[in-house]
């Protein structure tokens, strides 16, 4: 771990859910120490998606490797602990709604006055001011409010939610990149920064190209595939996707499917022609592929260098030959659950093997002791319910 770039960085992650925790977790994978602070009842991310006890797919994926402190920051004693931990950190990550950090005494202005080189990351729904600043924001709300659902509309123009937590995850990625830039500035100039990222702008930035397409087409951006063939086709025992992005690629498809006459067919001469006659072309391909197995077609299509792939299940992806070769899927041993597959950053060499996500308050006493807090005071904090230590 000492060879990873952020091995000297300590992050106090007081965020909940996905975007903030993922931002901090990315730097954990790159070597940082991350202390996760959550209420005694736990981060709300523990109780969404697929759950096992007080862990969920969300809490494990975005908090793996962190150490956990359960702290009631609504109390004066808890707020004092939070400030003390923040002043010992290099980075603070928070995603409270506007105004909450002021009430807790951990606003950037307060902390930076005491620690000028602090890097402070604020993640919000719509930003810290403006007409929507106080509006609640979730992934689904953001997918609707930023056009993501329109970007994912079906061929009949019906907007659809993307079946992933796209808004939250992309915001976490943007936040981690901005945090990295702020840490570089801190190293180069010795100054701290207040990094501000919001889900609304992150989702807009993620779709920048489609806004250009919308403008360039006078508001008539095409939906669905923009080349033909480009579709999902059944074989006798599975499903394949076959794609052509230009005339040469289409010629490969024609030869692979033993229809070289397609190459000179006026209906299929250029992509625009193929798009116009896409239904006919797809129907022909559908009938051909249905007549044999997926394994057969994978060999044929590969031999002609056709753009294609089988439609894989999650289990298939884990067993994908390239995933096995690259070590794409790691594993963790999660307390109370057991062995789980884990996919971390797709970057080498800047990633480390995943470790289990913390239970609620799993490392509370250890963290407070390392922070130099008097043992008698720690005992009182636990007795008063301000701090919770997980008893295994």
């Amino acid at each position: 771990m000492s060879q990873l770039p952020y091995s000297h960085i300590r992050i106090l992650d007081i965020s909940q859910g996905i975007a903030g925790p993922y931002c901090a977790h990315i730097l954990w994978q790159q070597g940082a120490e991350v202390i996760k602070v959550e209420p005694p009842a736990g981060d709300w991310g523990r109780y969404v998606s697929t759950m096992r006890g007080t862990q969920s797919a969300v809490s494990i994926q975005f908090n793996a490797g962190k150490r956990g402190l359960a702290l009631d920051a609504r109390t004066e004693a808890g707020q004092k602990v939070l400030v003390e931990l923040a002043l010992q950190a290099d980075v603070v990550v928070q995603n409270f709604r506007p105004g909450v950090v002021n009430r807790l005494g951990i606003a950037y202005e307060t902390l930076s006055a005491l620690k000028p080189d602090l890097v402070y990351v604020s993640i919000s729904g719509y930003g810290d001011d403006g007409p929507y600043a106080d509006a609640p924001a979730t992934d689904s709300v953001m997918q609707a409010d930023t056009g993501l659902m329109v970007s994912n509309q079906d061929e009949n123009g019906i907007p659809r939610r993307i079946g992933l937590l796209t808004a939250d995850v992309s915001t976490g990625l943007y936040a981690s990149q901005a945090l990295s830039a702020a840490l570089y500035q801190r190293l180069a100039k010795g100054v701290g920064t207040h990094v501000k990222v919001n889900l609304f702008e992150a989702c807009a930035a993620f779709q920048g190209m489609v806004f250009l397409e919308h403008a360039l087409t006078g508001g008539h951006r095409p939906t669905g595939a923009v080349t033909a063939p480009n579709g999902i086709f059944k074989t006798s025992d599975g499903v394949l996707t076959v794609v052509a992005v230009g005339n040469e690629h289409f010629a490969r498809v024609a030869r692979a499917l033993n229809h070289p006459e397609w190459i000179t067919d006026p209906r299929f001469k250029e992509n625009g022609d193929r798009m116009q006659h896409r239904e006919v072309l797809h129907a022909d391909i559908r009938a051909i592929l249905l007549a044999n197995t997926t394994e057969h077609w994978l060999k044929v299509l590969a031999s002609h260098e056709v753009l294609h792939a089988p439609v894989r299940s999650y289990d298939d992806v884990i067993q994908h030959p390239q995933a096995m070769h690259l070590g794409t899927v790691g594993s963790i041993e999660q307390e109370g659950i057991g062995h789980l597959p884990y996919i971390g950053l797709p970057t080498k060499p800047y990633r480390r093997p995943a470790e289990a996500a913390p239970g609620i308050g799993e490392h509370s006493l250890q963290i407070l002791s390392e922070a130099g807090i008097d043992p008698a005071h720690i005992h009182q904090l636990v007795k008063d319910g301000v701090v919770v230590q997980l008893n295994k």
Side-chain angles (χ1 to χ4, degrees), residues 36 106 136 207 211 217 225 276 390:
K36 177 177 181 60
I106 52 169
Q207 300 174 91
F211 280 89
T217 59
Q276 186 176 350
L390 176 66

Side-chain angles (χ1 to χ4, degrees), residues 276-305:
Q276 186 176 350
H277 298 92
R278 179 174 54 180
E279 295 304 319
V280 173
L281 180 58
H282 277 201
D284 288 344
I285 294 174
R286 192 175 297 115
I288 293 167
L289 294 181
L290 195 57
N292 219 318
T293 65
T294 297
E295 183 179 1
H296 169 81
W297 289 120
L298 289 177
K299 291 178 180 178
V300 170
L301 296 172
S303 69
H304 286 82
E305 298 184 328

Side-chain angles (χ1 to χ4, degrees), residues 305-368:
E305 298 184 328
V306 171
L307 293 170
H308 72 286
V311 177
R312 298 182 189 268
S313 68
Y314 298 129
D315 287 333
D316 291 338
V317 174
I318 291 173
Q319 298 299 322
H320 193 298
Q322 190 66 13
M324 303 284 283
H325 170 75
L326 294 172
T328 302
V329 184
S331 64
I332 57 173
E333 195 68 27
Q334 185 63 48
E335 182 76 25
I337 298 176
H339 179 82
L340 291 170
Y342 191 88
I343 301 177
L345 290 180
T347 53
K348 295 179 181 178
Y350 300 134
R351 68 181 184 191
R352 59 171 156 170
E355 299 174 11
I360 300 173
E362 182 172 345
H363 308 98
S364 292
L365 299 184
Q366 179 188 62
I367 289 168
L368 297 182

Side-chain angles (χ1 to χ4, degrees), residues 97-99 126-137:
R97 292 176 68 176
Y126 288 93
D128 54 7
D129 55 24
Y132 275 65
D134 293 322

Side-chain angles (χ1 to χ4, degrees), residues 13-28 34 36 43-45 58-59 61-64 66 93-95 123 172:
D13 177 15
I14 56 177
S15 64
Q16 297 190 49
I18 298 167
Y22 189 36
C23 169
H25 173 68
I26 287 173
L27 269 71
W28 176 86
V34 182
K36 177 177 181 60
D43 178 343
W44 63 259
V58 165
S59 64
Q61 178 68 30
F62 303 113
N63 294 291
K66 300 177 185 179
V93 178
Q94 66 88 11
N95 64 351
I123 299 174

